[in-house]
Amino acid sequence: MNEIATKDKFDLRSLPIGIFDSGVGGLTVYRALHNRLPNERFIYLGDTARVPYGTKSLATVERYALENAQFLASLGIKMLVVACNTASALALPQIRAQIGLDVVGVIGPGGRKAVEIIGGEAPRIGVIATEATVASNAYADRIHDACDKAQILQQACPLFVPLAEEGWTDAPETNSIAQKYLSVFDEFKPEAVVLGCTHYPILKQVIQQTVGENVKLVDSGEATADEVVELLHDKGLDNRNVVSGSRQLCDDLDHFFVTDATERFARVAERFLGAKPMKLEAVEVPGIDQPVI
Ligand code: DGL
């Protein structure tokens, strides 16, 4: 984005940061951002009516992602975090071209983090993600940008998404599904596994037990939050009006929107974040050709 004039920059600083995901998974990114940036407000959109994105075509994911980005931009945000790996893998350049704000996706930060924490000439990195993210090869590309000799094995784990949406974090069924998917890594012996879907950190414990405690799990949401902090600072966009009192996850400074009923989202958010969003609304996200009302 071009240099912002001083007055506009001042106005932009007090605006919230927009975040979207196909559902509840992006809450892992929201939590990471909230923990690092207590002075910022967030607007979160979970496209719960259209989840999952990971089994849909490029054209469909691209359209949904553009609609979500346009909706959040229309509410007045200073930066957009695409907290969905599938949308980041398939539609980041299109979103950037459309909304004219700084846009941060989760793939680049997650890939770079994996290379950084393992180090060496040829780190062995496993990537677990949705079918669409794996097929796009976006993680392999970003990891190779950071280390061209990295050895990569990718595995799609589509059933992890409904299990996370359902909140089945330690059910026996989740364990056996994890064993089935992750046995591809038995021979490859990755040093790190990237959680390349924002829903997967919800199942972190079972994934860690299955791949072994010696394997480092890379949460792309956490890596993304680190890069957002840096970018806000570099661009001089951090909010200078200090928020008084201590911030809580899901407090009334943050606004949550979902495209389907709110109850289910509130339930999963409470189980996962320990609090129900104080401001939570169901909305219909307008199509890309329709005006936002
Ligand atoms: N949260 C999405 C992602 O990070 C996955 C869920 C979906 O398939 O929509 O890719």
Side-chain angles (χ1 to χ4, degrees):
M1 194 179 171
N2 295 334
E3 188 52 32
I4 307 155
T6 316
K7 177 177 175 299
D8 293 339
K9 195 182 256 185
F10 176 77
D11 294 334
L12 275 179
R13 281 176 193 147
S14 58
L15 293 179
I17 295 171
I19 305 172
F20 82 79
D21 179 47
S22 54
V24 299
L27 290 176
T28 59
V29 184
Y30 161 71
R31 181 177 61 181
L33 285 164
H34 192 282
N35 288 345
R36 286 164 179 75
L37 297 166
N39 219 20
E40 301 294 338
R41 294 178 298 125
F42 300 95
I43 304 184
Y44 182 100
L45 170 65
D47 194 5
T48 47
R50 304 190 288 194
V51 69
Y53 285 8
T55 48
K56 300 204 165 69
S57 69
L58 168 65
T60 300
V61 173
E62 194 178 304
R63 177 162 59 84
Y64 291 173
L66 289 173
E67 289 170 1
N68 296 341
Q70 178 179 271
F71 172 77
L72 287 170
S74 75
L75 300 177
I77 53 173
K78 61 182 169 188
M79 185 177 281
L80 176 66
V81 180
V82 181
C84 174
N85 287 263
T86 309
S88 298
L90 271 50
L92 207 57
Q94 296 85 334
I95 298 171
R96 287 202 169 111
Q98 179 187 272
I99 70 165
L101 286 170
D102 287 301
V103 180
V104 182
V106 283
I107 305 269
R112 285 190 281 278
K113 189 66 167 191
V115 169
E116 187 192 309
I117 61 167
I118 299 304
E121 265 216 356
R124 282 192 314 283
I125 299 173
V127 175
I128 55 174
T130 64
E131 285 170 279
T133 301
V134 168
S136 76
N137 228 29
Y139 263 108
D141 291 345
R142 295 293 79 75
I143 291 169
H144 281 142
D145 286 347
C147 176
D148 57 1
K149 292 208 179 71
Q151 303 167 64
I152 301 162
L153 182 64
Q154 302 187 78
Q155 169 68 25
C157 305
L159 291 176
F160 281 176
V161 174
L163 290 170
E165 291 275 331
E166 208 57 49
W168 286 17
T169 50
D170 49 14
E173 293 81 358
T174 310
N175 250 302
S176 48
I177 289 168
Q179 273 167 23
K180 189 148 192 169
Y181 281 142
L182 303 175
S183 63
V184 295
F185 294 132
D186 288 352
E187 241 180 75
F188 179 67
K189 300 203 183 325
E191 295 161 278
V193 169
V194 179
L195 305 179
C197 170
T198 48
H199 284 67
Y200 297 179
I202 297 175
L203 306 177
K204 202 170 192 167
Q205 217 177 325
V206 70
I207 295 170
Q208 184 77 72
Q209 278 163 9
T210 312
V211 294
E213 297 296 330
N214 57 329
V215 176
K216 295 207 160 60
L217 295 187
V218 178
D219 182 334
S220 51
E222 296 280 342
T224 302
D226 288 338
E227 293 201 10
V228 168
V229 172
E230 264 177 48
L231 187 65
L232 269 185
H233 193 69
D234 290 351
K235 297 265 174 171
L237 282 174
D238 16 17
N239 187 12
R240 310 283 161 91
N241 300 321
V242 178
V243 172
S244 59
S246 69
R247 293 289 313 276
Q248 304 293 327
L249 285 164
C250 299
D251 64 17
D252 64 353
L253 291 179
D254 298 334
H255 205 143
F256 293 79
F257 294 95
V258 287
T259 53
D260 199 0
T262 54
E263 293 75 17
R264 184 186 174 82
F265 184 88
R267 220 176 34 242
V268 181
E270 185 174 28
R271 194 177 313 131
F272 180 61
L273 300 176
K276 280 187 180 165
M278 290 175 80
K279 280 184 174 168
L280 172 61
E281 279 178 59
V283 285
E284 198 165 319
V285 171
I288 23 185
D289 301 326
Q290 290 167 251
V292 179
I293 302 163

